[in-house]
Amino acid sequence: MIHAAFLMFLLPLAGFVVLALGGRRLGDPLAGWVGTGAVAGSFVVACITYAGLLKMPSSGRSFDQTLFTWIPVGGLNVKAALLIDPLSMTMALFVTGVSTLIHLYSIGYMKGDKDFPKFFLYMNLFVASMLMLVLGDNLLFTFVGWEGVGVCSYWLIAYWFGRPTAASAGKKAFLYNRLADVGFLVAVFLVFDKTGTLQYHGIFAHASSIDPAARTAICLLLFVAAVGKSAQLPLFPWLADAMEGPTPVSALIHAATMVTAGVFLMCRINPLLGLSHPAQLVVASIGAVTALVAATIGCAQQDIKKVLAYSTVSQLGYMFLAAGTGAYEAAIFLMVAHAFFKAELFLGAGSVIHGLDNEQDLKRMGNLRRWLPLTFATFVFGWLAIAGIPPLSGFWAKGDVLDNAYARFPVLWFVGLVTAALTAYYMTRLSALAFFGDDRWRQVLQAPAGDHDAHPHEAPWVMAWPLVVLAVLSLAGGVLLLPWHPGWSPLRWLDPVFGSRLFDAHLSGTAQWVLGVVDSLVALVGLAVALPLWARQPERPELEPAMLQRSYYLDDIYDAVIGRPGQALARFSLVVVDNQVIDGAVNGIGRLARNSGSIMRRLQTGFVRQYALGIALGAAGLLVFMAARAWA
């Protein structure tokens, strides 16, 4: 069973090829069903492979599957090969499972779009690239998937490229990630220089023999790449603008694919990261600070999707906090739980946008629980899960991260606790503005002539079913933390991947109970403050300062420090370097040749007698010169 693992990324890749060749003929909705079927098939293969891996002894749940030799050059022998182990299979399961639900939802959401087949073509390639990333057995094969999700995100964010904002957002995401990916490439070169291999098993076998400075450099360089891909400080501004893409794209990027890649990479290199305490502290600190900063920004956003975008940045910060702490299982647990409730929230937001004829401004919604009862009922689970209300999955997952942070980095635990309160606050604010209060949406919907009862409409079944499934997963995802039988739980099967490098908080039962109660109280306080505040009054400018609405002016700062000087340098290069120096040199050489030719042309008269006179004078001159030399 496990030897069919290569089909996991081959099936969505095949779906991409089929849609590229015949998508136009398949049309709407058949192209969507083909794309959804390809990803669903990948999920089935992932389940079968997972079952096969479970039958193996816990210490031997890892095997390499070589597809072909890719780069055989001297000492560099890179294979296109898969590493099937508990970490890669955990990633593959939730990537394919959540992506299948998002594809199904997209059939209804994208109905009527003029480029319907192209949308699913990109989505299939996106999933295939993500699976290559998580299943690769070496850094270079992982990098192919890493760049694959990067280029697919560019296409999908800029999918409606006719809108200037969408085209700009796509380019912004592409450039931010390419800038960060320099760190990945330099790390690959450094790893090969120090170990002579790019295969993970070979790298980790040499981990202890790499000098500490180089080991820290490798970890930090890979973290630079992760900061771009997973939108951490200072490179997170691209993720908010990525909301210009269709809502299913936002769900796929935020829940199951691209932004989780950075956290996965930190967990994958745990044998290196676990030996570098400075790198761990940097990862944990950047994660905690990013979580707090993004949470404060989310408190003042008016676009429903941008609130969710900043919540993703914040939750990813928690995951990096866990990875930097050494609590890798907690990071993966939160990643999986986050995939469930964040996909639920984005698809629920998409249902709201669909029901309001593409309106995304929270201040122009209100009381939607009456008109979109299914959307509201399912959205509640995602809202309470991310807020950390027990017993939903977010409470267990976030609590696991905070418990480990408390034991190792108490200051960062406090930052995470404040962030938890803000998370409950801004998510309750979003829900209150969208689903409670007055019918502010009446100024949005344009009623047909004679129809005085136009109101938001519920989503079709292909959009509703994924919402229901994800709501159940958001509620029940916490069971991943519970033992299914003595000595084993779903998360504990990751132990062989992390081994002794897995941080053990050694908290007593009393400490765990106290911390759990504190987490719950903080979440409930955030909810209790925000719900009456925003359900009654949607306009509170004193709580939405321009600094937070403009994301601490980060885009303005980057524009002033990088963008405008870059434009000035480009203008200088055009006017001075290109026009005057380069073109001046080329044109100067041309003028020199032309003027020289004009002068030389005067010597070519065509009169033979003049040529004979010239020869005679030259000969006489030579004779005089030679005679003078002889007399001297």
Side-chain angles (χ1 to χ4, degrees):
M1 291 189 294
I2 56 177
H3 294 290
F6 67 96
L7 292 175
M8 274 187 282
F9 81 89
L10 193 61
L11 283 172
L13 192 61
F16 161 76
V17 173
V18 169
L19 292 171
L21 297 177
R24 291 288 182 187
R25 291 195 205 111
L26 293 172
D28 177 0
L30 190 55
W33 286 109
V34 169
T36 303
V39 180
S42 180
F43 175 63
V44 171
V45 173
C47 291
I48 294 172
T49 306
Y50 171 71
L53 211 59
L54 279 179
K55 292 182 179 180
M56 301 169 65
S58 60
S59 59
R61 287 177 182 155
S62 176
F63 74 95
D64 291 294
Q65 186 174 35
T66 300
L67 305 179
F68 56 88
T69 300
W70 180 21
I71 305 176
V73 180
L76 178 64
N77 191 346
V78 180
K79 296 179 180 179
L82 309 181
L83 172 58
I84 309 300
D85 69 354
L87 177 59
S88 63
M89 282 312 305
T90 300
M91 296 293 297
L93 282 167
F94 87 78
V95 167
T96 55
V98 174
S99 296
T100 299
L101 294 172
I102 294 172
H103 274 70
L104 178 62
Y105 177 95
S106 301
I107 295 173
Y109 191 88
M110 298 301 294
K111 183 176 178 60
D113 187 88
K114 64 183 182 65
D115 290 320
F116 185 89
K118 185 172 72 173
F119 178 82
F120 285 90
L121 177 149
Y122 289 157
M123 294 276 277
N124 268 208
L125 184 59
F126 204 170
V127 175
S129 298
M130 185 64 187
L131 289 170
M132 290 176 67
L133 190 160
V134 301
L135 294 173
D137 94 321
N138 60 76
L139 273 172
L140 208 54
F141 199 60
T142 294
F143 186 68
V144 173
W146 188 274
E147 292 304 298
V149 295
V151 73
C152 288
S153 70
Y154 165 68
W155 288 330
L156 286 166
I157 292 168
Y159 179 76
W160 286 318
F161 57 85
R163 303 176 185 173
T165 52
S168 177
K171 289 182 286 187
K172 186 175 182 178
F174 189 82
L175 290 173
Y176 268 72
N177 279 276
R178 297 297 75 70
L179 176 66
D181 290 351
V182 173
F184 200 124
L185 284 174
V186 177
V188 168
F189 301 147
L190 187 55
V191 164
F192 185 72
D193 177 64
K194 297 298 181 181
T195 66
T197 181
L198 295 178
Q199 187 184 34
Y200 289 120
H201 288 316
I203 296 169
F204 300 155
H206 291 87
S208 58
S209 63
I210 302 173
D211 61 276
R215 196 162 51 218
T216 298
I218 291 168
C219 292
L220 291 180
L221 285 166
L222 290 174
F223 181 59
V224 168
V227 162
K229 196 69 73 183
S230 295
Q232 298 293 283
L233 277 172
L235 299 178
F236 69 69
W238 71 266
L239 193 58
D241 287 357
M243 299 303 97
E244 291 292 337
T247 300
V249 171
S250 304
L252 193 64
I253 290 176
H254 288 249
T257 55
M258 184 171 174
V259 296
T260 62
V263 181
F264 163 77
L265 184 63
M266 291 296 100
C267 293
R268 174 55 79 195
I269 64 165
N270 70 88
L272 292 173
L273 187 61
L275 293 174
S276 176
H277 297 296
Q280 285 185 312
L281 182 59
V282 169
V283 172
S285 300
I286 293 293
V289 173
T290 302
L292 178 61
V293 169
T296 58
I297 296 172
C299 293
Q301 298 300 306
Q302 291 189 196
D303 186 313
I304 187 172
K305 289 171 66 175
K306 284 198 173 184
V307 177
L308 296 178
Y310 283 111
S311 79
T312 298
V313 176
S314 184
Q315 296 300 303
L316 288 165
Y318 275 114
M319 297 175 210
F320 281 109
L321 171 59
T325 303
Y328 304 108
E329 286 182 359
I332 297 299
F333 181 23
L334 180 56
M335 188 192 301
V336 175
H338 178 263
F340 297 154
F341 58 69
K342 185 49 61 69
E344 164 62 40
L345 290 169
F346 263 112
L347 298 186
S351 181
V352 168
I353 295 167
H354 180 269
L356 288 176
D357 295 343
N358 298 316
E359 179 58 55
Q360 295 182 199
D361 190 342
L362 286 166
K363 302 301 181 68
R364 304 180 72 183
M365 296 182 184
N367 198 30
L368 292 177
R369 72 185 190 280
R370 175 184 174 188
W371 307 100
L372 304 175
L374 177 63
T375 298
F376 172 67
T378 55
F379 196 91
V380 165
F381 288 98
W383 158 30
L384 298 181
I386 193 173
I389 303 298
L392 284 86
S393 60
F395 166 76
W396 303 104
K398 196 181 299 180
D400 201 13
V401 172
L402 290 175
D403 288 355
N404 285 280
Y406 175 80
R408 186 166 183 188
F409 301 122
V411 173
L412 298 184
W413 165 79
F414 182 74
V415 173
L417 193 66
V418 174
T419 303
L422 291 173
T423 302
Y425 171 84
Y426 69 69
M427 283 306 305
T428 304
R429 170 181 174 271
L430 180 155
S431 302
L433 289 172
F435 295 102
F436 296 87
D438 300 325
D439 294 347
R440 299 184 304 277
W441 50 264
R442 292 190 183 276
Q443 59 185 309
V444 178
L445 293 181
Q446 299 297 320
D451 182 1
H452 302 290
D453 297 320
H455 57 78
H457 51 89
E458 194 64 89
W461 73 268
V462 289
M463 296 172 63
W465 273 109
L467 295 177
V468 173
V469 174
L470 289 167
V472 172
L473 292 173
S474 298
L475 170 64
V479 300
L480 294 173
L481 193 65
L482 304 176
W484 290 5
H485 59 75
W488 187 81
S489 73
L491 280 182
R492 304 311 300 180
W493 94 305
L494 290 167
D495 283 359
V497 178
F498 305 123
S500 60
R501 297 171 299 278
L502 188 64
F503 177 69
D504 189 345
H506 292 296
L507 294 173
S508 66
T510 301
Q512 292 182 43
W513 272 100
V514 170
L515 288 171
V517 170
V518 170
D519 295 344
S520 303
L521 290 175
V522 162
L524 290 170
V525 167
L527 189 150
V529 168
L531 190 58
L533 198 65
W534 292 101
R536 296 170 186 166
Q537 177 60 46
E539 296 295 339
R540 294 185 180 276
E542 70 280 5
L543 298 178
E544 299 173 331
M547 180 176 66
L548 296 184
Q549 291 188 20
R550 298 289 296 275
S551 306
Y552 292 104
Y553 302 105
L554 270 178
D555 279 327
D556 301 289
I557 293 171
Y558 290 159
D559 184 52
V561 175
I562 301 172
R564 294 185 185 279
Q567 290 176 337
L569 178 62
R571 284 193 297 270
F572 174 80
S573 299
L574 172 64
V575 175
V576 178
V577 178
D578 192 22
N579 290 348
Q580 298 181 19
V581 178
I582 297 176
D583 286 353
V586 173
N587 294 335
I589 293 171
R591 284 193 296 270
L592 177 63
R594 184 184 62 195
N595 295 336
S596 300
S598 299
I599 294 171
M600 296 299 294
R601 188 168 58 242
R602 296 173 185 172
L603 301 176
Q604 302 295 324
T605 64
F607 294 110
V608 176
R609 284 175 295 180
Q610 288 185 354
Y611 297 159
L613 178 61
I615 292 171
L617 291 174
L622 285 173
L623 289 173
V624 171
F625 174 75
M626 293 173 66
R629 291 284 298 246
W631 291 336

